[in-house]
Amino acid sequence: MFALIDCNNFYASCERVFRPDLNGKPVVVLSNNDGCVIARSNEAKAIGIPMGAPAFEYEKLFQQHGVQVFSANFALYGDMSNRVMTILSDYSPEMEIYSIDECFLKLHGFNLFNLQTYGEEIRYKVTKWTGIPISVGIAPTKALAKVANRIAKKYPNETNSVYIIDSEEKRIKALKWLRVEDVWGIGRQHSKRLNAIGINTAFDFTQLDDEVVKKQMAIVGLRLKHDLQGVPTLDLEERQIKKNIATTRSFETNYTEYEQLAERISTFASSCAEKLRKQNSCCNSLMVFIHTNGHRTDLLQYSRNIVVKLPFPTNSSIELAKFATQALQRIFKKGYAYKKSGVIVQDFTQANSLQKKLFENRDERHIPLMQAIDKMNLLFGQQKIRLASQDTKRVWKMKQQKLSPRYTTNLNDIITINV
């Protein structure tokens, strides 16, 4: 059996942990630069605020219903996620952290356990110890555990937020209830094609011929179908290293000068290099892109990207910043107001298995230097040590006008209790 544990409205729930006065009130969390809604409490969903809603378009609705609006506090959310996952790791030796708010547990050898009671114990402990409400779905396969979790979340009172698919009758009933577009792993385009041939529910999908599924969705879709039929096909996955790393940002103001963009590109490349070093990788190519604000029809528009093959694999901030700014020189055009840019590193090689080339190789002196910089930044705070090409007076800054305190990760923001 597999269990899927999902934190309910996770970002909004994190904000409520330290603001119990918000319980029962509509809460939304906004994306980077306070752009769009990325999390909603059930109360916010009930008044019609959709996921991805542009914040400026819904300001009147926010005021009308007293919606509590927060900027994304990723330091807080990441720490709360780690606390939840640490608790869950006690309930099974086999665990897959699927996302910041979801986790699979493999319940192998739990035949003598009362799984309903076990699920309720998990839910109680996580909520008691962290304040985060969760839903638990248990089933013979990962895909069915996803379905069971959806039922537990949809009907918390009837299921006590724990639902188990442990019979063929329950499996068929659940699949007939679930729309095909809501099935884990079936995206928007696939669901449109399936609807066009009369497939409207998850059960309909499982009745398709294997060859039809394979033609529509390749081998991945076929594995999903078998998993939904109760045949364990998808196992727990180990955390794999990323195949590409991106650092991109929209600017708080439009940039018109090359020097402004070059400083940002240097900073983005340095950030990518740091992430590469964390997973012990080097990149062999990178992409730099810049574009103007497509919403400003009164301004000239320009968008361009360039992929650069590096002469050698590297994860040095110095070398990647140099290559990235050289790439920027090739695509920058004067006379445009740029709103967004980014650096994407790709084509990775393990840092400890590099083959030297005959003419050009990474500067070996950078290896201990980058290690020292990473240690100092970890000890004294991010971006304390920077490249000369970066603005030393500028801290990475996003528009976060409604940012809550970092209660659990910053001593200056620790909660105060009056007794």
Side-chain angles (χ1 to χ4, degrees):
M1 299 290 274
F2 291 86
L4 175 66
I5 295 87
D6 187 9
C7 301
N8 301 340
N9 311 318
F10 182 58
Y11 292 172
S13 295
C14 287
E15 299 291 353
R16 280 175 162 172
V17 168
F18 302 95
R19 289 282 308 277
D21 59 301
L22 299 180
N23 289 332
K25 297 179 181 178
V27 174
V28 298
V29 177
L30 304 180
S31 62
N32 291 339
N33 293 310
D34 293 346
C36 303
V37 173
I38 58 172
R40 307 159 294 161
S41 66
N42 290 334
E43 295 80 7
K45 296 174 185 177
I47 60 178
I49 301 173
M51 183 67 82
F56 72 93
E57 291 184 5
Y58 283 79
E59 284 183 359
K60 289 185 178 179
L61 187 65
F62 291 163
Q63 294 174 1
Q64 179 183 349
H65 293 276
V67 178
Q68 301 295 311
V69 182
F70 291 92
S71 301
N73 189 340
F74 292 119
L76 174 65
Y77 308 152
D79 184 68
M80 293 301 292
S81 172
N82 184 59
R83 294 176 184 222
V84 171
M85 299 307 168
T86 300
I87 294 170
L88 294 177
S89 66
D90 290 337
Y91 284 92
S92 174
E94 298 180 83
M95 175 180 182
E96 175 193 339
I97 299 175
Y98 183 69
S99 67
I100 192 172
D101 62 345
E102 289 181 277
C103 171
F104 283 104
L105 299 179
K106 192 171 184 179
L107 304 180
H108 181 68
F110 283 65
N111 299 341
L112 300 180
F113 282 68
N114 183 319
L115 294 181
Q116 180 70 31
T117 303
Y118 200 67
E120 290 176 2
E121 180 186 331
I122 294 173
R123 183 190 61 80
Y124 173 80
K125 191 171 183 178
V126 170
T127 305
K128 181 71 173 179
W129 286 19
T130 68
I132 302 294
I134 66 170
S135 299
V136 181
I138 301 175
T141 70
K142 288 177 71 176
L144 286 174
K146 270 276 191 179
V147 178
N149 185 280
R150 198 175 188 94
I151 294 171
K153 185 174 289 188
K154 180 72 173 179
Y155 304 103
N157 296 329
E158 294 86 343
T159 64
N160 204 18
S161 296
V162 178
Y163 188 73
I164 304 174
I165 296 177
D166 54 1
S167 68
E168 186 66 5
E169 181 184 358
K170 283 186 175 182
R171 184 186 72 84
I172 293 173
K173 184 178 181 181
L175 295 184
K176 287 184 176 180
W177 168 80
L178 187 66
R179 297 178 303 178
V180 71
E181 57 264 34
D182 293 329
V183 174
W184 175 51
I186 297 183
R188 184 178 302 175
Q189 295 305 318
H190 283 315
S191 63
K192 286 182 179 178
R193 286 197 290 268
L194 291 170
N195 289 157
I197 60 174
I199 306 302
N200 298 307
T201 68
F203 181 76
D204 295 337
F205 175 69
T206 61
Q207 301 306 297
L208 281 172
D209 184 81
D210 282 1
E211 289 303 317
V212 174
V213 175
K214 194 172 181 180
K215 183 178 179 180
Q216 292 278 346
M217 301 175 61
I219 191 66
V220 175
L222 188 58
R223 289 172 181 163
L224 175 61
K225 177 198 168 185
H226 292 163
D227 228 51
L228 289 171
Q229 289 176 320
V231 180
T233 309
L234 307 173
D235 206 348
L236 297 187
E237 296 180 2
E238 294 182 3
R239 180 73 67 168
Q240 298 182 348
I241 64 172
K242 296 179 180 178
K243 296 182 179 179
N244 56 62
I245 293 172
T247 303
T248 69
R249 290 292 184 274
S250 294
F251 309 133
E252 63 274 19
T253 59
N254 291 331
Y255 287 174
T256 57
E257 301 299 324
Y258 169 80
E259 289 74 16
Q260 294 174 308
L261 277 174
E263 189 279 329
R264 290 290 82 196
I265 290 296
S266 180
T267 298
F268 299 159
S270 182
S271 175
C272 287
E274 182 181 352
K275 295 172 185 176
L276 279 170
R277 295 192 294 271
K278 283 184 178 179
Q279 67 173 38
N280 194 36
S281 298
C282 292
C283 71
N284 288 275
S285 65
L286 63 81
M287 183 176 78
V288 173
F289 73 84
I290 52 176
H291 63 70
T292 53
N293 189 345
H295 300 291
R296 290 289 301 273
T297 55
D298 57 317
L299 298 175
L300 292 173
Q301 298 297 315
Y302 175 71
S303 178
R304 184 77 189 277
N305 68 70
I306 183 171
V307 177
V308 177
K309 180 71 175 178
L310 305 185
F312 48 82
T314 182
N315 59 17
S316 164
S317 297
I318 298 171
E319 291 170 338
L320 285 179
K322 180 185 74 172
F323 293 132
T325 51
Q326 288 174 350
L328 175 65
Q329 291 174 354
R330 295 167 60 181
I331 61 175
F332 175 81
K333 282 189 178 182
K334 188 79 174 174
Y336 294 93
Y338 296 97
K339 183 62 177 175
K340 186 174 183 178
S341 71
V343 175
I344 303 172
V345 293
Q346 48 205 10
D347 189 13
F348 294 167
T349 304
Q350 283 294 98
N352 54 8
S353 60
L354 299 181
Q355 289 187 333
K356 289 196 174 185
K357 298 185 177 181
L358 184 59
F359 297 107
E360 286 188 281
N361 289 287
R362 63 185 301 196
D363 192 331
E364 299 289 340
R365 296 173 298 175
H366 290 183
I367 298 175
L369 175 60
M370 293 300 117
Q371 291 174 347
I373 289 174
D374 290 340
K375 287 181 181 179
M376 293 178 72
N377 283 337
L378 180 64
L379 184 61
F380 299 109
Q382 287 187 335
Q383 301 185 57
K384 292 297 183 183
I385 309 297
R386 310 185 206 185
L387 303 181
S389 57
Q390 296 177 253
D391 186 347
T392 56
K393 296 180 180 179
R394 175 171 180 165
V395 178
W396 200 288
K397 190 176 181 181
M398 292 185 294
K399 180 183 176 184
Q400 293 179 303
Q401 296 180 341
K402 302 179 184 297
L403 185 65
S404 58
R406 292 164 292 177
Y407 299 102
T408 64
T409 61
N410 191 315
L411 281 175
N412 295 322
D413 290 345
I414 195 168
I415 194 167
T416 302
I417 300 175
N418 297 317
V419 295

